[in-house]
Amino acid sequence: MNERTSSNIAPISFVAMIGIVVVVLAAFLPIRVEVGPEAAQAQEEPTPQAVQVAQAETNVVEYTLRTRIGGDPAMAYVGVGGEIDGVVNPELVVNLGDTVRLTVVNGDPALHDLKIDEFNVYTGEIIDAEQSVTVEFVADQPGLFDYYCSIPGHRDIGMEGVLRVVGEVVAGDEGAMDASLEDEGYGSGDMDHGQAASQAVSPAVEDAASIVRHPADLPAPITATEPQHHVVEMTAVEVDGVLDDGTTFRYMTFDGQVPGPMLRMRVGDTMELRLSNEIESLLPHSIDLHAVTGPGGGAEFTQTMAGEVSAFNFTALQPGLYVYHCATASIGHHISSGMYGLILVEPEGGLPPVDHEFYVMQGEIYTEQDFGTEGHLDFSHEKMLDEDAEYFVFNGAAGALTQDEYALRADVGDTVRIYFGVGGPNAISSFHVIGEIFDRVYDEASLTSEPLTDVQTTLVPPGGATIVEFTLDVPGRYILVDHALSRLERGLVGFLYAEGEENPTIFSAENHPEQSGH
Ligand code: CU
Ligand code: CU
């Protein structure tokens, strides 16, 4: 088929194709032009404006942009005044050599900025509503340049536009060339400053919250025999939280803790989920529940701005243990910062009773600064894209479940069930409890398949979950890990204490160490 199709078009295509390539190249030429005499001459089709340029005297051009959340696209810059008034993400046209004075006004109480990389233009963070920042630069190279908001996610959902600098570099126009060479990277004070800033660390936030959800904090089994309607209210909360001793981080959470609250319903039940986003939030948030059959798992109807509420209804069609998470760009930023949780849809008749149920989730945290740095660490979008996490965490913070306050506790002879999920967003977990064997694993959290029996380590993908069950036969300290054990040294470890009588027929030793484990 393919061969025949290509031979059909061959006779007519070559000339036409070359023509198209030339047209396409011409269209893109202004972007690709390097600033240099030869390249400048290669740009042969001056636009009408281009004819008027290359004047020597400095001309000042002023533009004002106002940020907007909501509408189409979801975030944008809107022109204020002059020809760009009311235009969404307007093209800003200036002549080569112009001094551009660009004012950005914050039209909402969210965090924004504006950058134009090629001119080292950066407004800095603009936080308050109606706050405005003016930047000034010389448009010393021709072409098309993107202006955009560098707050993670904002460009993806619309905050970008084009600056068109029209004109040609005239041979002998040394000033413009020197300036643009400097922009390429050498000897630019601005760039040095940027790099130094990323190495630095602010002091830890003093009143940072504990964001750790206690692993015993989950709803009791459903007892109703008839289908129920559940109304769940959740709040997106951005909060400075304790990541490690002496270390804080800006978390994004559902209800202030990581993971978010565990939700529980039974197959056939209905749920109304209401998501509010705190007025203090800098970003919009949303929720996608994998238990939902419907657009975006709810995310399409819950993109929620600061101070707003959204809601939807769904019916639980299939039993299982499902991940939920925020699905607002940059999704990886929101998830890794803590916006995930589990929703259990019990099968008809519920799950067999056990003595203890626990709720544990694994996540990654991407920081500019190295693991173990004290202070208030900054999120690194780059490391997130590289899937190069500094921290791995159970329930939100480094080693949180090893602390007496948050460790899992049970008695010898008890049956234990752990609802375990991976928020991620990227790393697969090889979930293992050191010193125990899982009697049953509901593999991939399927509750309609027979559970696996007698399992040492079970795989859990990001956006996936498992349910493991075991009986505690001997006392001691058991250790929850991802058996990719390098992650233990990056914070991924928890303790389960079993108290009670020794059982020497199962386990005995000469010495009696306080610490058990590998
Ligand atoms: Cu979010
Ligand atoms: Cu998902």
Side-chain angles (χ1 to χ4, degrees):
M1 268 312 258
N2 282 341
E3 223 174 28
R4 203 173 133 201
T5 309
S6 59
S7 71
N8 280 346
I9 64 159
I12 52 158
S13 64
F14 272 99
V15 174
M17 292 273 255
I18 289 165
I20 288 165
V21 167
V22 168
V23 169
V24 169
L25 277 180
F28 280 94
L29 212 49
I31 309 177
R32 295 173 182 277
V33 164
E34 297 293 329
V35 180
E38 308 92 333
Q41 275 151 26
Q43 188 190 3
E44 279 179 351
E45 283 186 66
T47 59
Q49 297 102 310
V51 181
Q52 318 161 1
V53 298
Q55 72 257 51
E57 69 272 30
T58 306
N59 187 30
V60 177
V61 183
E62 297 191 49
Y63 281 116
T64 300
L65 297 172
R66 187 178 169 86
T67 69
R68 187 192 73 186
I69 295 184
D72 191 19
M75 284 194 193
Y77 300 100
V78 179
V80 178
E83 288 186 3
I84 63 166
D85 195 47
V87 178
V88 174
N89 292 328
E91 181 177 90
L92 307 178
V93 183
V94 304
N95 289 324
L96 185 64
D98 280 353
T99 294
V100 184
R101 199 172 288 156
L102 181 57
T103 300
V104 181
V105 183
N106 211 5
D108 50 69
L111 177 64
H112 298 291
D113 63 21
L114 183 142
K115 278 189 180 180
I116 307 174
D117 293 333
E118 294 83 352
F119 296 102
N120 283 336
V121 167
Y122 176 47
T123 58
E125 294 187 340
I126 310 173
I127 297 173
D128 299 321
E130 302 308 322
Q131 184 185 346
S132 77
V133 173
T134 301
V135 289
E136 201 174 282
F137 61 98
V138 177
D140 54 17
Q141 42 182 324
L144 301 177
F145 307 95
D146 291 339
Y147 64 85
Y148 65 95
C149 180
S150 76
I151 305 303
H154 289 197
R155 186 180 188 173
D156 299 337
I157 57 173
M159 292 191 83
E160 62 177 346
V162 169
L163 168 73
R164 177 189 293 272
V165 182
V166 290
E168 296 176 32
V169 174
V170 181
D173 194 353
E174 307 288 342
M177 283 164 57
D178 289 350
S180 63
L181 279 174
E182 237 177 72
D183 289 346
E184 294 301 319
Y186 297 103
S188 155
D190 278 346
M191 290 184 80
D192 291 343
H193 176 74
Q195 279 177 1
S198 74
Q199 304 286 336
V201 60
S202 320
V205 174
E206 277 195 21
D207 57 348
S210 170
I211 49 72
V212 178
R213 182 170 299 278
H214 197 288
D217 178 13
L218 70 162
I222 306 280
T223 51
T225 49
E226 294 294 303
Q228 303 287 298
H229 180 65
H230 308 261
V231 178
V232 171
E233 296 188 341
M234 288 169 83
T235 306
V237 179
E238 298 171 11
V239 61
D240 292 322
V242 178
L243 171 57
D244 202 349
D245 283 344
T247 303
T248 58
F249 180 71
R250 184 73 175 175
Y251 285 88
M252 303 183 208
T253 68
F254 291 105
D255 289 1
Q257 286 175 308
V258 182
M262 185 164 141
L263 309 181
R264 192 162 193 159
M265 61 199 302
R266 188 167 283 184
V267 68
D269 287 359
T270 53
M271 184 175 281
E272 178 182 350
L273 201 137
R274 295 182 194 154
L275 179 69
S276 21
N277 188 1
E278 282 199 321
I279 187 82
E280 296 83 6
S281 290
L282 298 177
L283 296 170
H285 298 289
S286 60
I287 190 166
D288 165 358
L289 299 105
H290 293 178
V292 169
T293 305
E300 286 193 19
F301 299 97
T302 54
Q303 297 297 331
T304 311
M305 304 300 153
E308 294 184 354
V309 187
S310 54
F312 67 97
N313 284 277
F314 70 97
T315 302
L317 297 180
Q318 284 152 298
L321 179 64
Y322 298 94
V323 168
Y324 68 79
H325 59 89
C326 179
T328 300
S330 150
I331 298 177
H333 181 202
H334 288 239
I335 291 180
S336 65
S337 301
M339 298 197 83
Y340 49 82
L342 291 176
I343 173 168
L344 175 64
V345 179
E346 293 184 0
E348 231 165 289
L351 287 166
V354 290
D355 297 309
H356 294 279
E357 292 189 324
F358 295 109
Y359 174 30
V360 178
M361 285 191 81
Q362 176 168 332
E364 302 129 40
I365 293 181
Y366 297 89
T367 55
E368 290 280 353
Q369 298 83 2
D370 292 344
F371 174 84
T373 305
E374 295 204 343
H376 186 72
L377 307 193
D378 302 305
F379 170 72
S380 169
H381 199 254
E382 233 177 347
K383 285 187 191 172
M384 187 202 75
L385 292 180
D386 290 345
E387 304 185 16
D388 182 14
E390 290 293 336
Y391 288 81
F392 287 86
V393 293
F394 287 137
N395 289 17
L401 305 188
T402 64
Q403 296 165 21
D404 285 350
E405 193 183 349
Y406 296 115
L408 292 69
R409 292 175 195 280
D411 293 321
V412 170
D414 284 351
T415 48
V416 168
R417 173 181 292 142
I418 302 177
Y419 298 106
F420 180 85
V422 176
N426 300 313
I428 295 167
S429 179
S430 304
F431 184 54
H432 176 73
V433 175
I434 298 173
E436 260 299 343
I437 298 160
F438 302 138
D439 298 334
R440 276 172 302 284
V441 172
Y442 293 86
D443 196 26
E444 307 210 4
S446 167
L447 290 172
T448 45
S449 315
E450 278 300 304
L452 303 175
T453 51
D454 303 331
V455 174
Q456 59 187 314
T457 298
T458 191
L459 278 174
V460 187
T466 192
I467 303 169
V468 300
E469 295 172 353
F470 49 93
T471 304
L472 293 163
D473 296 304
V474 298
R477 189 180 70 179
Y478 299 87
I479 307 178
L480 280 65
V481 292
D482 173 342
H483 217 290
L485 284 169
S486 302
R487 297 171 188 173
L488 189 151
E489 295 176 44
R490 290 186 176 272
L492 195 59
V493 56
F495 293 157
L496 163 62
Y497 291 100
E499 282 185 24
E501 291 294 301
E502 296 288 341
N503 191 342
T505 60
I506 294 178
F507 185 85
S508 66
E510 292 289 304
N511 302 324
H512 188 76
E514 280 302 298
Q515 320 259 302
S516 58
H518 270 196

